[in-house]
């Protein structure tokens, strides 16, 4: 299950990069941090749409924690809700 979560997290990082969103350096983990113009406000907006992320105080990042319970549809929903 952990391998599946790491694979989905790597896919999310790849998809964010393809959209021109800067992804913070990461290892083989289930966490994906990426830049946001206003992380706190964007976290609230995403939560209102059913997507739970964390903002990192003092950093320009949002952080997704990908788990074995997530699927490609969850990644797509997050990407659709991000500004273009």
């Amino acid at each position: 299950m952990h391998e599946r979560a790491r694979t989905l997290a790597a896919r999310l990082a790849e998809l964010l990069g393809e959209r021109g969103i800067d992804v913070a350096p990461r290892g083989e983990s289930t966490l994906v941090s990426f830049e946001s113009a206003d992380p706190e406000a964007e976290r609230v907006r995403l939560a209102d749409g059913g997507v739970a992320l964390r903002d990192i105080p003092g950093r320009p990042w949002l952080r997704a924690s990908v788990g074995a319970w997530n699927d490609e549809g969850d990644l797509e929903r997050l990407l659709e809700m991000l500004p273009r």
Side-chain angles (χ1 to χ4, degrees):
M1 287 194 311
H2 195 73
E3 178 61 31
R4 180 176 184 286
R6 283 194 309 257
T7 299
L8 277 174
R11 180 67 179 142
L12 176 58
E14 178 183 358
L15 291 168
L16 289 165
E18 288 174 2
R19 290 186 61 161
I21 298 172
D22 289 330
V23 177
R26 54 181 306 277
E28 287 193 27
S29 77
T30 61
L31 301 175
V32 180
S33 298
F34 58 95
E35 283 195 24
S36 168
D38 187 347
E40 187 174 355
E42 193 159 21
R43 174 190 52 80
V44 170
R45 184 182 63 76
L46 290 167
D48 288 345
V51 175
L53 298 180
R54 180 174 181 253
D55 62 295
I56 311 296
R59 301 282 189 169
W61 299 332
L62 287 171
R63 177 175 288 161
S65 178
V66 181
W69 54 86
N70 293 115
D71 60 25
E72 292 282 340
D74 295 321
L75 304 185
E76 291 171 18
R77 185 164 22 115
L78 167 59
L79 291 168
E80 288 173 3
M81 293 184 68
L82 293 175
R84 293 194 175 254

